[in-house]
Structures are given as C-alpha cells and as structure tokens.
Amino acid sequence: MIMKNNKSAFFAVAVSAMLGMGAIEANAQQTRYKGTVTIHQKDGTKTSINESDLSQIGNTEDYVYAAKKQMQAQKYADVDHVSFDWIAHEVESIRLNYKRDISADELKQAVKDMRTQLEDVQRDGISSLRGGSRYGELSAYMYRFQNTLGPDCYVQYFCVPHSDIPHFNDELRSTYDLCKDFIGGPSTGFSRMKYNMASTLNAEKIDYMPEIKAIYLTLFNYAAIENVDLFGPLTYYDYKENFDGSSFVYDRVKDIYYQAKADIDAAIECFKYYKDHRSEAYKKWIGIAIGNYVGLLSSYDIDPSDLSVWIRFANSLKLRMAIHMSKVEPATAKQWAEEAVAGGVIENMTDEIGLFPYLFGVSHPLIEIMGWNDIAMGASFINLLQNLDHPYMKYLFTKNSIALEKSKQAVSGTSAPAVTPKGSVYVGMRNGVTPGIGRAADANPYVGYSMLDRTYFAECNPPLYLMKVSEVNFLRAEGALRGWNMGGTAQSFYEQGIRTAYLEDRNYKENEYTKHVEQYLNVNAPKGIAYVDPQGLTPDMPSVTKIGVKWNEGDSKETKLEKIITQKYIASFPYSYESWVDLRRTGYPKLFPILNTEHGDGTIKPGDPKVQTADNIMRRIPWIPDDSQKKEDIKATGIPALSEDTNNKPATDTQMQRLWWDVDAPNF
C-alpha cells in the first residue's frame, strides 16, 4: 500500500496494524493503534473515521477507499493527504529484571510502599481464583457463580435441582440452558484477579521485588489459561498491560498459550537466580512478603522463602498446557512437557498449591451451597463411582434424604418402584433433566437426591487446589502413554495418581480414602449397575463404564487413555475446569448424554441416547457482551481470532464452537 505523500510509511504501518491486529507470533512485540484516520480532499472537505468503526482502508492511483464495518467501501477522489490522530500502544511481555542488584533494605522499602496494592492483589485477586469475594473471603455465592451453575454441571459432578436461581432473573431450564444472567460466571475469577494484578505487574516499584512479580505473573497466566479454555480468545494483552481504552482486542488462544509459556519460563529463571544470588536478609523479606501478599500454600507448612515450590508449580502448569495441545501441536507439546518434567514438577503432597478455607476462618464454599440445596449429585458421576466401587462410595455421599415416589408422569418402561424408601439408595440427578421448583424437598423431590456428607466434608477440610499432585501424575501418565519422556512409566504415574487422588486435607487423620485405595487399584471390571431414576422421569440407563481400574499393559492405547482420564476426572472432583478440558479433547470419561439440549443455542445435539458423544458435549461458553462496545470488539477481533485458531474455518460465538486445542481427530 503506497500513498503519494511523505506520510505513506506511517500510513502503511498504521493500516497494517489496524487490519492485522488479531494474530501475532508468540513473544513478538506488537504495536496496536487506536484513534482516528482523516481523509483530506483538495477542495478542503475532510472525512474522519474512528478506528473502532473502520474495517478497511486503502488506495489506488486515482482514489482512496475506506469502508466502515458492515458497509461498502466509499471512494474519495482528489485526496490531498491522509492524517492520523493515533495512539500507539506497544504490546509486549511483562519483563522480569531479576538480575538487578537489590538490597534487603530496598526490598523492604518497596514492600512497604506497595503494601496497600499488594494487599488488594492477595485479598481481591488471588482468592478470586476459587470464589473469593471483593473482601478476600471465600464466598459461597461467588463460588456458585463461577463453578456450580456451569462447569460443575457440564462435567456432571453436580446438577442444579431447582429452576429458580435466587439473585438472578433467569430460570434454569436444564444443564445446557443459555442463561445470560449467569452463564458468564466462570469468567469472574479471571476478571476479578486481573483487575488488581495487572496494575501491580505494571507498577514501577514491583521491580524491586522481582520474585513476587514472577509469582504474580505466573498466577495471572494460570487464570488466563483457565479463562481461554472456557471461552476461547481473550483480550489478554490489553488486560495484561493494564491498557486504558474503550476498545479491546481479542487475542488467539494459541498466542496466549505461547506467551504464557514464555512468561512461565522467565518466572522459573527468576526463581532459580534467586536461590544462588540473593542474600539471606533479602530471602527473609521475600518469605515475609509471600506469606502476607500471596496467600497460597502447599499442603504442609513450608518455608515461604524457598521458591523451589513455585518452580514446580510453574512447570506443572506448563505440563498441563502441553497436554491440552497434544493433538493440535504434538511436537511442540512434547517439547514443553519434557522441559517441564526435566525442570521439576510437583511430585509430593508438600508441593501442592491451593487455598485453604480454614485459614480464612471459613468452611469450603460447597458446604454453604449444600445448605441452600443448590446442588444434587450428578447421576453419571455417582453411577461411575458405584460401578468401579470407588472408596468415596463408602463414606462421602448421603443416600436419598426423603422417600421418593414414582411420578405420575413417569416415562414408559422405567423400573422405578412405586416408592423408594428414605435413606435406601445413592441416587444422582440426570444432567439436562428439567429441574423442579423451589428448594424444599417436600415440594421438589430432586432436593432429596444424594449429596455430599456435609458433616464429613466439613471435618476433612478439603482445600481448593490450583495444582494437585494427583493431576500432575495423571498428566505424566498421559505423556508417557504418548511416548514422551516423563521420567517414568504410564502405569507408575497412573497408580500414584490414584493413591494421591483424595479430596481431603492431607493432614486429616481420619481419612477414609487411604483405607480402601489399594483394594480399589485392583478392581478388574465394573459392576454393571444401571441408573434408575426413583421418580421415573428419565429412562433407565445401563452403565456406560466398561473399563476397570487395574492397569493392564496388554490394553490398547485408547483403553489406557480412558483409564487415565477417568481416574483423573474422579481425582479432580470438585474442580471441574480441567475435567471439562479433558472431556472435550479426549471424549473421556464416558458419561450419560446430557438431556434437553434444545435449551442451549441450538448447536448442541441430543446425540446417542445411551452414551455421551462428541456432538452432545458443549465445547465452549459463549461470550455474553454487556455493552455495545464489547459487542463491537467481539465482532471485530473476537470472532476472527476464533477462526484463526481453527485454521480459518468459519467461526461462530456458539456453544459448539471448537477451540484451538479441541481438535476433531483421533486421540492417537
């Protein structure tokens, strides 16, 4: 593109940036321009077009042409020149100047100067990753908004038993219902975290505590990866750079993964440099700062000034990302995974990172949510545990809390008895079934279905993990199955993953799981228990679980993968985000199909009535724009980024739109 005046070079750069701002190479600096372009004609008339309205601009020998969005290009003849009132915004990675000479006194003073800002990050930011409120408390309301109304049900851990959701205007018709009031809830963890985190990462004085900055940068990327795995493209660079503007650019999932990996690697180098190059006085103050302004711990008390735990956490996140992309970029995934393991991942319970409710003076949010009768156990999840005789079935759940009568609207052929006596069965609720009305069991029988044992759940103090050793073991098991060097065999990591899979706090002495796990490891075959709805409102469902637990080296790769993902799914409970990624990318575990898919946006199919298949698995959460500018941003860069992530296939903002790593191809 060439203009016949001395502004032609800037014109080309600006237009190029404008029209190509969706995709960039990882780690490459990018310039984004925001502002107004004005076309000046020789007769003195001029036309100004705002960047947010402009879709195309160019020139020929005879005229300049410009098109606004959704409109044909307008020709401008006898043009004298084109001017730009433009703000250049450089997009690049957050820099960690960890080799800078910093004394303990300088560090101490910087922490003091930034105390309020650091407190906001810890209180309002980091806790938000698992349902924290704006006061830094673990909020059952926020946890429900982020988890139990959406992803927890998409993976069928839970089902919402009533259609009326207090504090929201929408009624929930079924699991995949596109309720605009709360379908965007899972994004709030990242949104709340980045609000304080981004400004802190860009603050000048944070460079006097590079190790804290590296931890925050790692956590920012942890949350960003969770977000893009749920929704797809994200305004990642604009948020990360704390850009203050009205129009934001959506970045591809691929670009975000690559930049997150680069940030993780930089953070790891920072932690490694710290060990050998910082004074003991400096390390003491870093430990104090981490204790006060991070708020994340491993399962046991450790010295917070020992940053090796953060190296293992960062590498474990890199390993998680590598497994996610194993089908879309297998060679790169292998490289990242082997780098992560060689650099050191979480291998012991003492390395695990999470939020501990009892340290906040509260109980796990699910306890209060159960008290509201806002969840029932998912039928497919309970049926899976029953068929494998999982240790949880011996102690973690309650049986039906009321007598359940067969409904007058029971479907034909159901084997439900006329009355199922109180306390006689473990029974979950089919995901997708039309829920009842109200929270009282006498009016809404679904409230009387199985639930977690609140007393035991409260006593065992389940942490809210960000990264559990069991997950890392299953990630390594899958990597080894794919032929990657994971430092051991798929079988050894698989079995160790099961041994460390329980949800109880690691210090809980009355842990029932450990009493039964060795027996569980030797389960050869499922029991073949069918699901029967006591109300008879859904058909009887034969078990979809055809595999056992015991490792068999003679099994096919596909069967081994199904075993790994099935046990990882159980071990992840009640954390659903990673389980939903696995379900979409591998099709495992095998679950019941979700009913009433017509309550979604029309893209999800009923599928096979006997087992959940790919066309019945929701692939992403659509964006819910809350203002006209966000709608424009989604149209201008969000949808194109979705398309670029999937080899420029036409993309739609729908529930069945596949994301970058969600490749429609065999697992091997």
Side-chain angles (χ1 to χ4, degrees):
M1 182 178 296
I2 299 174
M3 288 289 292
K4 299 180 189 176
N5 58 59
N6 59 9
K7 294 181 181 280
S8 61
F10 183 65
F11 180 86
V13 172
V15 173
S16 174
M18 249 187 333
L19 304 182
M21 56 190 168
I24 62 171
E25 292 302 314
N27 290 328
Q29 182 171 295
Q30 182 189 22
T31 304
R32 290 178 176 160
Y33 294 89
K34 294 179 183 291
T36 303
V37 57
T38 302
I39 300 169
H40 300 262
Q41 292 173 273
K42 294 177 181 178
D43 62 3
T45 61
K46 59 184 179 181
T47 303
S48 296
I49 306 172
N50 190 277
E51 169 269 331
S52 62
D53 296 325
L54 187 65
S55 64
Q56 189 177 28
I57 187 168
N59 71 292
T60 69
E61 289 294 322
D62 301 319
Y63 57 84
V64 169
Y65 59 91
K68 293 186 178 182
K69 291 170 184 175
Q70 309 301 320
M71 297 177 64
Q72 284 190 323
Q74 177 73 39
K75 296 180 181 179
Y76 299 90
D78 297 322
V79 173
D80 180 67
H81 68 280
V82 177
S83 65
F84 296 86
D85 181 12
W86 228 247
I87 298 172
H89 171 46
E90 302 297 330
V91 176
E92 58 184 330
S93 60
I94 298 280
R95 300 191 183 279
L96 290 172
N97 188 9
Y98 56 86
K99 293 184 179 180
R100 177 179 189 168
D101 287 333
I102 307 168
S103 69
D105 287 340
E106 287 176 312
L107 168 62
K108 183 178 177 180
Q109 185 62 46
V111 171
K112 181 179 178 180
D113 292 343
M114 291 191 68
R115 183 176 62 185
T116 300
Q117 196 166 359
L118 297 173
E119 285 175 348
D120 287 343
V121 171
Q122 190 276 326
R123 184 184 65 242
D124 299 340
I126 294 172
S127 66
S128 296
L129 295 175
R130 292 295 181 267
S133 73
R134 62 192 178 98
Y135 304 108
E137 301 168 347
L138 292 178
S139 162
Y141 173 81
M142 290 304 300
Y143 185 93
R144 180 185 68 162
F145 192 39
Q146 289 177 217
N147 299 279
T148 57
L149 294 176
D152 289 359
C153 296
Y154 304 155
V155 299
Q156 307 197 48
Y157 286 151
F158 298 119
C159 193
V160 180
H162 48 79
S163 58
D164 48 316
I165 309 295
H167 311 296
F168 297 105
N169 295 320
D170 282 347
E171 281 196 0
L172 181 68
R173 294 175 293 173
S174 66
T175 297
Y176 281 157
D177 195 0
L178 199 64
C179 292
K180 290 181 170 54
D181 254 15
F182 54 79
I183 196 168
S187 70
T188 56
F190 174 76
S191 297
R192 292 179 59 80
M193 182 279 306
K194 61 89 178 169
Y195 180 79
N196 290 299
M197 187 75 82
S199 61
T200 304
L201 284 171
N202 287 280
E204 182 179 350
K205 289 190 176 180
I206 195 72
D207 287 325
Y208 285 91
M209 51 187 99
E211 296 79 17
I212 301 295
K213 186 176 183 180
I215 291 173
Y216 284 179
L217 185 60
T218 302
L219 292 173
F220 181 94
N221 282 290
Y222 177 95
I225 293 299
E226 278 192 332
N227 188 281
V228 300
D229 288 343
L230 294 165
F231 294 87
L234 172 70
T235 55
Y236 171 84
Y237 283 101
D238 283 345
Y239 283 157
K240 187 179 177 186
E241 297 292 323
N242 205 32
F243 179 66
D244 183 15
S246 59
S247 177
F248 291 83
V249 174
Y250 282 79
D251 300 293
R252 296 189 305 176
V253 174
K254 176 179 179 178
D255 292 330
I256 296 168
Y257 262 65
Y258 271 75
Q259 185 60 62
K261 193 265 187 184
D263 288 346
I264 289 167
D265 286 344
I268 290 169
E269 291 305 311
C270 175
F271 300 142
K272 287 162 64 176
Y273 184 87
Y274 161 90
K275 180 181 178 181
D276 297 325
H277 295 86
R278 296 300 184 190
S279 69
E280 291 304 311
Y282 182 99
K283 290 178 179 178
K284 175 186 174 182
W285 277 103
I286 282 293
I288 291 171
I290 290 173
N292 290 335
Y293 306 121
V294 176
L296 292 171
L297 302 172
S298 64
S299 297
Y300 294 91
D301 293 333
I302 61 167
D303 177 3
S305 68
D306 179 3
L307 301 190
S308 62
V309 68
W310 291 103
I311 293 176
R312 292 189 285 274
F313 173 75
N315 275 319
S316 298
L317 174 57
K318 183 160 66 171
L319 177 60
R320 178 193 281 185
M321 292 160 55
I323 287 291
H324 290 183
M325 55 193 277
S326 58
K327 286 166 70 173
V328 66
E329 291 194 7
T332 302
K334 178 177 185 289
Q335 176 190 338
W336 289 13
E338 291 181 346
E339 280 179 12
V341 170
V345 293
I346 292 172
E347 295 189 346
N348 301 293
M349 294 177 183
T350 53
D351 298 335
E352 294 171 319
I353 295 291
L355 288 164
F356 291 75
Y358 62 87
L359 295 178
F360 287 78
V362 297
S363 300
H364 193 292
L366 282 174
I367 295 172
E368 190 171 356
I369 291 169
M370 284 187 276
W372 299 337
N373 288 329
D374 272 0
I375 48 175
M377 298 310 303
S380 194
F381 182 53
I382 287 288
N383 188 254
L384 168 64
L385 298 178
Q386 286 178 312
N387 275 285
L388 295 179
D389 197 20
H390 192 276
Y392 283 168
M393 293 309 305
K394 302 181 188 332
Y395 67 91
L396 191 59
F397 307 108
T398 62
K399 293 183 178 179
N400 56 309
S401 61
I402 60 170
L404 296 167
E405 296 183 1
K406 184 177 179 179
S407 172
K408 294 178 181 178
Q409 285 78 44
V411 298
S412 175
T414 177
S415 61
V419 177
T420 300
K422 176 181 177 179
S424 61
V425 294
Y426 293 105
V427 58
M429 182 178 169
R430 275 294 299 273
N431 282 89
V433 72
T434 302
I437 299 174
R439 301 184 182 196
D442 56 351
N444 179 4
Y446 284 126
V447 173
Y449 282 34
S450 290
M451 185 35 58
L452 292 164
D453 185 318
R454 288 183 70 196
T455 301
Y456 182 85
F457 201 75
E459 289 176 352
C460 72
N461 292 318
L464 294 139
Y465 288 110
L466 271 66
M467 192 68 70
K468 227 173 141 180
V469 66
S470 56
E471 179 191 341
V472 178
N473 278 312
F474 289 122
L475 291 170
R476 295 175 79 176
E478 181 176 346
L481 185 65
R482 295 186 179 279
W484 305 349
N485 182 3
M486 296 287 97
T489 65
Q491 178 179 352
S492 65
F493 292 127
Y494 170 79
E495 292 175 347
Q496 188 60 14
I498 294 173
R499 288 189 177 98
T500 56
Y502 54 90
L503 57 77
E504 292 91 332
D505 183 81
R506 305 311 191 181
N507 287 323
Y508 185 59
K509 292 182 172 56
E510 303 301 320
N511 187 341
E512 289 290 324
Y513 182 93
T514 55
K515 300 175 184 177
H516 307 285
V517 67
E518 294 304 321
Q519 180 181 349
Y520 177 66
L521 279 162
N522 286 299
V523 172
N524 269 309
K527 292 183 173 182
I529 301 170
Y531 168 75
V532 178
D533 177 13
Q535 296 184 78
L537 293 173
T538 61
D540 293 0
M541 278 294 296
S543 170
V544 297
T545 305
K546 308 302 180 186
I547 56 167
V549 179
K550 188 173 182 179
W551 188 265
N552 181 353
E553 200 56 47
D555 284 339
S556 67
K557 270 190 170 184
E558 199 67 40
T559 298
K560 289 175 181 175
L561 180 64
E562 182 179 357
K563 285 184 175 181
I564 291 168
I565 299 300
T566 299
Q567 295 305 319
K568 182 183 176 188
Y569 167 79
I570 297 169
S572 295
F573 176 78
Y575 171 65
S576 58
Y577 290 8
E578 180 68 5
S579 296
W580 192 31
V581 170
D582 287 339
L583 181 64
R584 288 175 283 167
R585 71 180 180 86
T586 70
Y588 300 129
K590 290 182 179 175
L591 300 170
F592 297 160
I594 290 182
L595 305 172
N596 289 318
T597 57
E598 68 275 9
H599 292 155
D601 61 11
T603 60
I604 308 172
K605 306 302 180 187
D608 187 330
K610 295 181 180 179
V611 64
Q612 190 175 36
T613 50
D615 58 353
N616 185 252
I617 298 170
M618 179 173 154
R619 319 308 298 193
R620 65 179 284 269
I621 302 173
W623 295 304
I624 304 298
D626 49 14
D627 58 60
S628 58
Q629 184 58 60
K630 188 171 182 180
K631 288 181 182 178
E632 286 297 323
D633 293 345
I634 289 171
K635 185 191 301 182
T637 58
I639 300 299
L642 270 174
S643 177
E644 290 166 12
D645 265 333
T646 53
N647 292 322
N648 293 313
K649 296 176 184 176
T652 55
D653 184 13
T654 57
Q655 291 172 301
M656 285 299 284
Q657 173 66 51
R658 288 180 181 265
L659 301 180
W660 170 62
W661 45 258
D662 182 12
V663 178
D664 185 10
N667 287 315
F668 297 100

